């Protein structure tokens, strides 16, 4: 114990770098650093090589058609994502390999081989067809973390319907907005999922979404997985609606497992996934098939160094992009053995994750900094109770990781022997973009290190000048296969949000930029150090990152002003020890309304009801007035200072918080110009 603490402190103060362990590097899928130069010299050839590992019904005839900001990858090719995740392995004689290991929070378990999963996906696909779902339709999925979530996604992919997965923690109203926006024909939900011993009443929320306030006219059927209740009854008093609602076990279990996979165009829509932006309305990020699957395959293979004997566990929920790319598409495209767990890390106690690692012999573990900070707070005694010696690689994603958490993870979970891959990417990028390769990259706690081979990232000033070392705006300079193809129903927002920060002429002053070059703006501030490593500092737009979840300040503000007592609201992020950021709301009340504790409580619940528990404000402050600029823009910087009690200093942020503050100011000032 004492020794560990000593190591912990010295590792922190020495500003140490961690080279890949020699034994790891010797066996690694990528251990030759020349991969970077090769990919950089001819990125199209590099990605084309990866794409050839997939099965194409019809080979593509052109790698890339780039009409900025519109990219088409693997033009003319035809393939199917579900076929590549399942049939390809079964046909190669690997059908008896374990594809999915699942554990429910109450302790129930299931296991599927690739053949099993292939069969179940075929059945679900046929059931969807019987319900009228056709190629090109959208299907909404609102499920707990149960195998049916992955099966439903792959069933959609199999028949060419795009899925739109909505995280089970979102409210009925958020679900309704997303179903309406995508015009989904079918909603797949469950009667409830387990979370910390309780049951999340998903079907009740689904009914509220579909039935109330104008409902969702596009929905023809609701398919309900029975996770909890007995036949005929569902959780929270929700009932099955005759004609509209169908039980999964009635229609899927009886369906034929034979369902031919649709030959989809490389650029056909695979899914829509909603994410928060700077307006009140979430953006339906569109991902297509060939490029997305190629980059998921490549990154999973090299960054997680997958081998046949690995047991890979990503703790994300399938409702987020991490669950899409690194529970379902990336690992299954690689033929991996994936572990999925339904519930909370502290149910029934704080050792649950480590018990799972021990019980299943997990070798690769991917989680979020917010979870690591919680483990840290719970204490080393929990992981110390279990045998974690099977672990050989650790990963993090979702927000900057503070060096303390990195070192703690390295020592207490990784036993000081496992490389850590800190992976930067976004819903929009579809797959990892800046990340170490564990057999090659020397890691430094807190840095996502360098771009993945074939990716070109940069730090630019507001004017578009390249900043070789120092802080600025993160930028991606070249198209990549898994890039978003648009925002569902809002093509202009796609151009404005991501491709309009720098004009062609100014960006030309960069490293190798040519005039007119189109540069992607991810919305993050970052810095580059002397060795060329990237340090992503955080969002510079009005998007918060609360426990690794993106929440738009405008969404929360809209939810607040929707309450009859509220005149105006301004929401800012407040540094939080565990969550990274927490929601702080400044509210001015309507004339004659009394500012009470009870009203604070009511407003908090109102936000939860409108958006979901992830947006629950940590603090609500009643204000007589909100500070504004002359043009009427709320001065969030000032509010943030107040919310964080600025005098205390920003102790939880990994790097100079002033950088983000400065960038935000610069960015906002220009917006007002
Ligand atoms: C942040 C999650 C620092 C970043 C995959 C990004 C990170 C947003 C990292 C995307 C990381 C993600 N280091 N920041 N390794 N990974 N972020 O769309 O601000 O839910 O823009 O995708 O999370 O969040 P999203």
């Amino acid at each position: 114990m004492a020794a560990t603490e000593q190591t912990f402190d010295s590792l922190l103060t020495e500003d140490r770098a961690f080279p890949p362990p020699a034994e790891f590097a010797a066996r690694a899928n990528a251990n030759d650093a020349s991969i970077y130069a090769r990919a950089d010299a001819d990125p199209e050839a590099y990605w084309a090589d990866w794409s050839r590992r997939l099965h194409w019904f019809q080979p593509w005839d052109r790698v890339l058609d780039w009409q900025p900001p519109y990219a088409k990858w693997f033009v003319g090719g035809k393939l199917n994502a579900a076929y590549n995740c399942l049939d390809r392995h079964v046909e190669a004689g690997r059908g008896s390999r374990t594809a999915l290991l699942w554990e429910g929070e109450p302790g129930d378990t299931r296991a599927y081989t690739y053949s099993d999963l292939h069969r179940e996906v075929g059945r679900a696909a046929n059931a969807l067809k019987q319900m009228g779902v056709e190629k090109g339709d959208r299907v909404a999925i609102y499920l707990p973390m149960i195998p049916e979530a992955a099966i439903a996604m792959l069933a959609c992919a199999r028949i060419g319907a795009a899925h739109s997965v909505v995280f089970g923690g979102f409210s009925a109203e958020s679900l309704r907005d997303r179903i309406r926006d995508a015009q989904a024909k079918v909603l797949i939900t469950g009667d409830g999922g387990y979370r910390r011993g309780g049951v999340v009443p998903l079907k009740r929320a689904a009914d509220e979404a579909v039935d109330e306030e104008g409902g969702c006219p596009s929905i023809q059927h609701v398919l309900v997985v029975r996770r909890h209740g007995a036949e005929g009854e569902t959780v929270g008093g929700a009932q099955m609606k005759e004609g509209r609602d169908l039980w999964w076990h009635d229609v899927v279990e009886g369906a034929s497992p034979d369902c031919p996979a649709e030959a989809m165009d490389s650029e056909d829509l695979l899914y829509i996934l909603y994410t928060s932006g700077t307006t009140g309305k979430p953006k339906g990020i569109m991902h297509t098939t060939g490029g997305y699957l190629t980059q998921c395959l490549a990154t999973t293979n090299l960054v997680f160094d997958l081998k046949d004997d690995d047991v890979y566990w990503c703790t994300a929920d399938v409702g987020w992009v991490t669950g899409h790319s690194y529970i379902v598409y990336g690992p299954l495209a690689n033929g991996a053995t994936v572990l999925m767990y339904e519930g909370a890390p502290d149910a029934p106690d704080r050792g649950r994750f480590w018990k799972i690692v021990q019980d299943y012999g997990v070798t690769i573990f991917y989680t979020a900094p917010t979870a690591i900070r919680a483990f840290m707070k719970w204490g080393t005694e929990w992981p110390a109770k279990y045998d974690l010696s099977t672990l050989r690689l650790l990963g993090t994603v979702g927000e900057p990781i503070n060096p303390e958490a990195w070192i703690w993870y390295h020592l207490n979970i990784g036993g000081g022997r496992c490389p850590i891959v800190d992976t930067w990417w976004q819903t929009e990028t579809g797959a990892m973009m800046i990340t170490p390769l564990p057999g090659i990259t020397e890691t430094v706690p807190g840095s996502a290190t360098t771009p993945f081979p074939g990716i070109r990232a940069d730090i630019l000033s507001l004017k578009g000048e390249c900043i070789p070392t120092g802080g600025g705006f993160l930028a991606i300079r070249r198209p990549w296969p898994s890039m978003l193809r648009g925002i569902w129903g809002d093509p202009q927002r796609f151009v404005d949000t991501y491709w309009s920060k720098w004009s062609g002429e100014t960006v030309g002053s960069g490293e190798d930029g040519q005039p007119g070059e189109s540069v992607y703006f991810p919305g993050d501030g970052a810095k580059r150090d002397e060795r060329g490593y990237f340090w992503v500092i955080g969002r510079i737009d009005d998007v918060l990152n609360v426990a690794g979840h993106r929440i738009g300040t405008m969404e929360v503000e809209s939810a607040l002003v929707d309450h009859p007592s509220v005149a105006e609201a301004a929401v800012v992020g407040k540094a939080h020890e565990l969550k990274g950021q927490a929601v702080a709301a400044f509210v001015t009340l309507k004339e004659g309304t009394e500012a009470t504790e009870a009203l604070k409580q009511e407003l908090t619940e109102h936000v939860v009801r409108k958006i979901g528990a992830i947006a629950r404000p940590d603090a609500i402050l009643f204000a007589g007035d909100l500070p504004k600029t002359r043009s009427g823009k709320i001065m969030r910087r000032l509010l943030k200072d107040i919310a964080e009690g600025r005098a205390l200093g920003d102790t939880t942020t990994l790097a100079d918080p002033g950088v983000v503050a400065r960038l935000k100011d610069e960015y906002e000032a220009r917006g007002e110009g």
Side-chain angles (χ1 to χ4, degrees):
M1 223 17 242
T4 311
E5 257 151 41
Q6 207 173 20
T7 327
F8 187 93
D9 286 341
S10 62
L11 287 181
L12 263 182
T13 48
E14 278 172 24
D15 193 19
R16 262 187 69 172
F18 295 79
E23 327 79 80
F24 190 101
R27 290 192 64 220
N29 291 352
N31 53 13
D32 176 359
S34 71
I35 187 173
Y36 288 100
R38 266 189 292 125
D40 198 52
D42 193 348
E44 291 188 25
Y46 175 76
W47 292 119
D49 276 349
W50 278 106
S51 85
R52 288 190 195 97
R53 297 206 193 181
L54 295 171
H55 176 275
W56 296 81
F57 296 126
Q58 183 181 305
W60 43 265
D61 32 52
R62 200 167 153 203
V63 180
L64 173 65
D65 176 5
W66 179 223
Q67 314 281 338
Y70 307 101
K72 289 186 183 144
W73 282 87
F74 308 117
V75 184
K78 301 237 183 292
L79 78 170
N80 184 285
Y83 188 99
N84 272 286
C85 288
L86 303 169
D87 307 48
R88 193 161 61 91
H89 309 305
V90 174
E91 281 164 17
R94 294 158 63 89
S96 60
R97 262 181 72 72
T98 303
L100 190 61
L101 293 164
W102 175 82
E103 187 164 299
E105 195 185 81
D108 45 338
T109 61
R110 285 196 249 165
Y112 295 80
T113 63
Y114 273 89
S115 296
D116 294 337
L117 207 53
H118 177 255
R119 201 173 49 239
E120 294 311 312
V121 167
R123 288 199 169 112
N126 276 324
L128 287 175
K129 276 189 179 171
Q130 281 160 23
M131 293 163 72
V133 179
E134 292 169 12
K135 180 175 171 175
D137 286 341
R138 273 83 53 212
V139 172
I141 299 177
Y142 185 60
L143 279 172
M145 278 289 285
I146 54 178
E148 284 82 357
I151 292 169
M153 289 162 77
L154 291 166
C156 290
R158 192 161 193 90
I159 62 174
H163 52 73
S164 164
V165 183
V166 180
F167 172 56
F170 275 120
S171 67
E173 202 163 312
S174 297
L175 174 63
R176 185 191 303 137
D177 290 347
R178 287 159 174 75
I179 293 175
R180 280 191 189 160
D181 189 73
Q183 292 289 295
K185 214 180 205 177
V186 164
L187 167 62
I188 305 178
T189 187
D191 62 351
Y194 290 92
R195 188 80 191 170
R196 271 191 198 96
V199 176
V200 186
L202 289 169
K203 175 63 164 71
R204 197 172 65 192
D207 282 351
E208 210 182 308
V210 178
D211 290 336
E212 290 171 26
E213 286 183 37
C216 301
S218 64
I219 292 289
Q220 297 177 0
H221 288 288
V222 178
L223 182 58
V224 187
V225 179
R226 192 177 66 199
R227 163 76 186 119
H228 175 75
E231 179 95 36
E233 53 177 276
T234 63
V235 170
Q239 297 299 323
M240 296 296 276
K241 192 165 164 184
E242 194 64 46
R244 186 196 68 186
D245 297 357
L246 301 162
W247 283 111
W248 177 284
H249 57 266
D250 284 340
V251 296
V252 174
E253 278 166 28
S256 157
D258 298 320
C259 177
E262 273 305 318
M264 304 299 288
D265 188 90
S266 180
E267 283 300 333
D268 276 338
L269 188 64
L270 177 61
Y271 67 78
I272 303 172
L273 183 59
Y274 287 84
T275 189
S276 293
T278 52
T279 73
K281 191 176 176 306
K283 304 173 280 195
I285 302 300
M286 290 158 62
H287 282 293
T288 59
T289 310
Y292 173 78
L293 205 60
T294 298
Q295 195 169 333
C296 284
L297 177 86
T299 51
T300 308
N301 189 293
L302 297 189
V303 178
F304 291 132
D305 189 48
L306 275 175
K307 303 279 197 298
D308 275 354
D309 49 1
D310 277 315
V311 177
Y312 162 86
W313 182 18
C314 165
T315 69
D317 190 284
V318 286
W320 306 111
V321 74
T322 306
H324 284 60
S325 302
Y326 298 108
I327 293 178
V328 180
Y329 292 109
L332 296 180
N334 276 285
T337 296
V338 179
L339 180 95
M340 191 172 168
Y341 166 60
E342 176 187 37
D346 52 353
D349 64 37
R350 292 170 167 180
R352 183 63 182 270
F353 271 19
W354 318 124
K355 182 170 186 323
I356 291 175
V357 169
Q358 173 181 284
D359 289 352
Y360 292 86
V362 172
T363 58
I364 304 168
F365 179 73
Y366 190 36
T367 196
T370 186
I372 298 167
R373 289 192 296 265
F375 303 146
M376 238 175 125
K377 195 173 165 207
W378 295 345
T380 51
E381 61 269 31
W382 291 104
K385 280 186 201 177
Y386 299 93
D387 177 6
L388 306 182
S389 63
T390 50
L391 287 171
R392 66 180 194 91
L393 178 63
L394 304 176
T396 85
V397 63
E399 54 181 312
I401 182 164
N402 42 316
E404 294 88 338
W406 196 105
I407 298 288
W408 187 92
Y409 194 32
H410 171 70
L411 292 176
N412 296 288
I413 307 302
R417 71 182 178 277
C418 305
I420 296 180
V421 287
D422 173 357
T423 60
W424 177 87
W425 60 292
Q426 313 176 290
T427 305
E428 291 89 339
T429 68
M432 295 166 184
M433 300 292 283
I434 304 181
T435 171
L437 290 181
I440 297 176
T441 314
E442 184 169 87
T443 55
V444 178
S447 168
T449 72
T450 59
F452 187 79
I455 302 294
R456 184 165 289 180
D458 209 342
I459 306 281
L460 300 183
S461 72
L462 195 64
K463 289 204 194 105
E465 298 138 340
C466 169
I467 301 175
T469 53
F473 300 89
L474 186 60
I476 309 295
R477 298 188 81 103
R478 215 188 231 166
W480 64 99
S482 63
M483 64 200 279
L484 78 164
R485 299 303 196 265
I487 295 175
W488 180 261
D490 202 346
Q492 192 56 44
R493 195 175 175 192
F494 168 67
V495 177
D496 294 345
T497 310
Y498 305 109
W499 303 98
S500 306
K501 289 303 159 242
W502 297 285
S503 59
E505 315 88 75
T506 49
V507 165
S509 59
E511 256 187 340
D512 70 335
Q514 307 134 16
E517 184 193 4
S518 254
V519 176
Y520 171 83
F521 173 58
D524 279 336
K527 62 175 191 179
R528 184 161 37 194
D529 66 17
E530 288 72 24
R531 66 195 291 173
Y533 279 15
F534 286 79
W535 300 71
V536 177
I537 301 163
R539 306 284 315 184
I540 57 102
D541 52 7
D542 293 329
V543 174
L544 308 182
N545 191 331
V546 178
H549 303 324
R550 277 166 69 169
I551 297 170
T553 53
M554 281 278 281
E555 286 172 78
V556 185
E557 287 166 7
S558 312
L560 284 165
V561 296
D562 174 77
H563 190 279
S565 305
V566 176
E568 204 173 15
V571 166
V572 294
K574 171 183 184 318
H576 187 278
E577 196 195 344
L578 293 181
K579 296 190 251 187
Q581 277 189 310
V583 175
F586 291 79
V587 171
T588 60
L589 295 172
K590 286 198 180 139
E591 205 85 26
T593 310
E594 212 188 323
T596 61
E597 274 309 308
L599 181 58
K600 258 188 205 175
Q601 203 48 45
E602 194 179 315
L603 293 179
T604 305
E605 290 314 317
H606 189 72
V607 172
V608 172
R609 210 162 36 244
K610 298 285 289 183
I611 304 175
I614 52 165
R616 180 189 299 275
D618 254 48
I620 292 187
L621 292 106
F622 292 123
D625 231 333
L626 296 175
K628 290 189 189 143
T629 60
R630 260 194 255 167
S631 59
K633 203 169 152 44
I634 294 169
M635 295 164 80
R636 289 169 200 281
R637 281 276 306 130
L638 223 95
L639 296 177
K640 204 169 149 61
D641 284 349
I642 299 168
E644 293 180 345
R646 190 52 65 205
L648 296 173
D650 214 346
T651 49
T652 55
T653 314
L654 81 120
D656 180 13
V659 176
V660 172
R662 198 162 36 73
L663 290 172
K664 259 182 187 285
D665 285 348
E666 228 184 296
Y667 179 72
E668 283 173 10
R670 179 163 118 152
E672 278 191 52

